[in-house]
Amino acid sequence: MISTKRAYNFNAGPSALPIEVLQKAQEELVNFNNSGMSIMEMSHRSKDYDAVHNDAIARFKSLFSIPDNYEVLFLQGGGSLQFTMVPMNFLNEGQTASYILTGSWSEKALKEAKLLGQTQEAASTKENAYRNIPSLEDIKFSETDAYVHLTSNNTIYGTQWKEFPNTGEVPLVADMSSDILSKRIDVSSFGIIYAGAQKNLGPSGVTIVIIRKDLLEIAKTNIPTVLKYSTHSESNSLYNTPPTFGIYMLGEVLKWVEEKGGLEAIEKNNEEKAKLIYDVIDQSNGFYKGHADVESRSLMNITFRLADEELEKKFLAQAKEEGFVGLNGHRSVGGCRASTYNAVPYETCKALADFMIEFQSKNQ
């Protein structure tokens, strides 16, 4: 069995997985479903794997309340490949794609789209060091745009959309890699949602795409076969060999979410976990300084600084000694970051909050 001694894992991704899921995978790793094989060894065309694959799709559709006019695809390449696939499939000559910039990942998405067609910035909070999400009235786009793209949660800067823009007939495309399945949303507000699995859904290697069926019908056809969404829709995401173990793990994570009470319970738990840490920051009289504006704070990535780099280094070093992992801020901005994804237990967040209070009392 897996040792009960577990790190306080705040890694930003790949990130914590539910211990129950890891234990289930350990039990089935060598002999899945009495097949005499691991799920990693069997054909992706086999009946055993086919059941796993389709069950994961069905559970995801049910948990995320996905309407019938949407497809769920299992792809590879992470969110980074989606930065290219979205404009490659939908940005036609003579059209413009609008991008809302709220951090590094939306910048990277825009950079890839510029290689494939005309783009514009619909809004940006870069001048404010990405401390906030743009107000809805500041978002500028045209009714003739190919789509409007946003990043729902910003892992590096610790901001998150609380309310999404209404783009009318223009498809809204969202990179939800770091907060998918962390709260309830109205999927019908989006044309496309995509997400890497490695934060809330499972291990790295699987990319999930939710796409409205009518968009599949208008996508460009003069692009490489494997980069067409329609290719994967028509083949039930089995056009080429899928990441079978990752999809198996994703299915087990979805079962875990169901057992925890579904998205309503997960969302409530995420709010409570984040509050533990934000309360310490807010009540520290400036000892800890949050990066994100209060109204834009993320429930998934809590970013903060201390008075100076030397104190931060001391904080991070002592935290590591106490068993905390992954508290360093992103290499591009420094500081500290606690990623409190779905599988990070409440007790782990409580332990961090207690450590932060104790560290402040000894270092003021």
Side-chain angles (χ1 to χ4, degrees):
M1 295 293 291
I2 297 174
S3 169
T4 55
K5 178 62 177 176
R6 300 271 290 163
Y8 295 129
N9 186 356
F10 289 99
N11 276 322
S15 56
L17 287 164
I19 184 65
E20 300 92 333
V21 171
L22 294 172
Q23 290 173 332
K24 176 76 176 299
Q26 184 184 50
E27 292 170 5
E28 296 184 335
L29 187 63
V30 174
N31 184 12
F32 175 75
N33 200 26
N34 294 318
S35 65
M37 295 179 288
S38 168
I39 190 77
M40 292 184 286
E41 298 177 287
M42 60 181 55
S43 169
H44 62 292
R45 308 291 182 186
S46 67
K47 290 183 178 179
D48 275 335
Y49 176 72
D50 192 57
V52 169
H53 189 95
N54 291 323
D55 182 71
I57 292 174
R59 287 182 191 276
F60 187 75
K61 285 182 175 180
S62 175
L63 274 170
F64 215 38
S65 301
I66 299 174
D68 291 339
N69 62 322
Y70 286 77
E71 293 275 5
V72 171
L73 309 177
F74 293 145
L75 306 182
Q76 299 174 64
S80 295
L81 182 57
Q82 294 307 303
F83 297 164
T84 298
M85 282 186 68
V86 170
M88 185 175 283
N89 278 262
F90 298 110
L91 182 50
N92 292 296
E93 187 175 351
Q95 285 186 305
T96 298
S98 291
Y99 281 73
I100 303 171
L101 301 186
T102 51
S104 298
W105 299 111
S106 53
E107 286 182 354
K108 291 182 178 181
L110 174 58
K111 178 182 177 181
E112 296 305 306
K114 284 181 176 179
L115 300 174
L116 295 164
Q118 183 69 35
T119 64
Q120 71 158 355
E121 293 183 15
S124 175
T125 56
K126 188 171 186 176
E127 289 186 359
N128 193 31
Y130 291 134
R131 295 180 185 276
N132 64 293
I133 296 297
S135 60
L136 296 182
E137 56 267 24
D138 288 340
I139 300 170
K140 308 299 181 185
F141 65 95
S142 168
E143 292 182 357
T144 59
D145 284 351
Y147 57 83
V148 176
H149 181 284
L150 60 80
T151 304
S152 61
N153 183 77
N154 301 283
T155 56
I156 294 176
Y157 297 97
T159 61
Q160 186 178 28
W161 288 80
K162 309 302 181 185
E163 181 183 359
F164 295 108
N166 180 356
T167 56
E169 295 300 313
V170 180
L172 181 59
V173 179
D175 174 1
M176 291 192 180
S177 291
S178 54
D179 67 347
I180 196 167
L181 215 67
S182 68
K183 61 179 182 178
R184 293 161 293 178
I185 69 163
D186 180 8
V187 173
S188 67
S189 299
F190 300 86
I192 303 171
I193 296 170
Y194 64 86
Q198 66 273 11
K199 301 177 190 294
N200 273 332
L201 296 178
S204 58
V206 184
T207 307
I208 200 159
V209 174
I210 306 166
I211 184 167
R212 214 170 61 213
K213 291 179 180 179
D214 64 291
L215 294 178
L216 293 168
E217 299 171 1
I218 64 170
K220 291 190 285 187
T221 58
N222 60 335
I223 58 177
T225 303
V226 77
L227 297 177
K228 295 177 185 177
Y229 289 112
S230 59
T231 297
H232 302 285
S233 172
E234 291 165 3
S235 60
N236 192 31
S237 300
L238 293 166
Y239 173 74
N240 60 327
T241 307
T244 54
F245 182 73
I247 292 170
Y248 157 78
M249 288 291 287
L250 186 150
E252 293 301 321
V253 169
L254 296 176
K255 293 176 187 177
W256 175 81
V257 172
E258 291 173 347
E259 291 165 1
K260 291 296 180 182
L263 271 192
E264 183 176 359
I266 289 290
E267 182 176 1
K268 182 174 183 292
N269 192 44
N270 285 333
E271 291 171 348
E272 292 172 350
K273 291 186 307 184
K275 186 176 186 300
L276 285 171
I277 302 169
Y278 280 127
D279 280 352
V280 173
I281 294 171
D282 292 341
Q283 296 165 17
S284 71
N285 294 318
F287 185 85
Y288 300 107
K289 299 178 181 179
H291 175 80
D293 291 349
V294 172
E295 64 274 10
S296 294
R297 281 175 168 174
S298 169
L299 296 180
M300 298 284 96
N301 307 98
I302 300 169
T303 53
F304 58 97
R305 303 298 301 252
L306 281 79
D308 55 64
E309 288 190 13
E310 288 305 311
L311 192 58
E312 284 180 352
K313 288 178 181 178
K314 184 178 180 181
F315 173 84
L316 292 168
Q318 290 189 11
K320 185 176 181 180
E321 291 175 0
E322 295 296 323
F324 294 94
V325 176
L327 288 176
N328 296 69
H330 191 271
R331 60 187 180 276
S332 65
V333 297
C336 306
R337 171 176 59 180
S339 296
T340 55
Y341 300 123
N342 288 357
V344 176
Y346 179 92
E347 294 74 18
T348 293
C349 296
K350 179 65 165 59
L352 176 59
D354 291 343
F355 171 77
M356 291 172 69
I357 292 170
E358 183 180 4
F359 184 85
Q360 179 180 354
S361 69
K362 294 179 179 179
N363 291 274
Q364 290 202 77

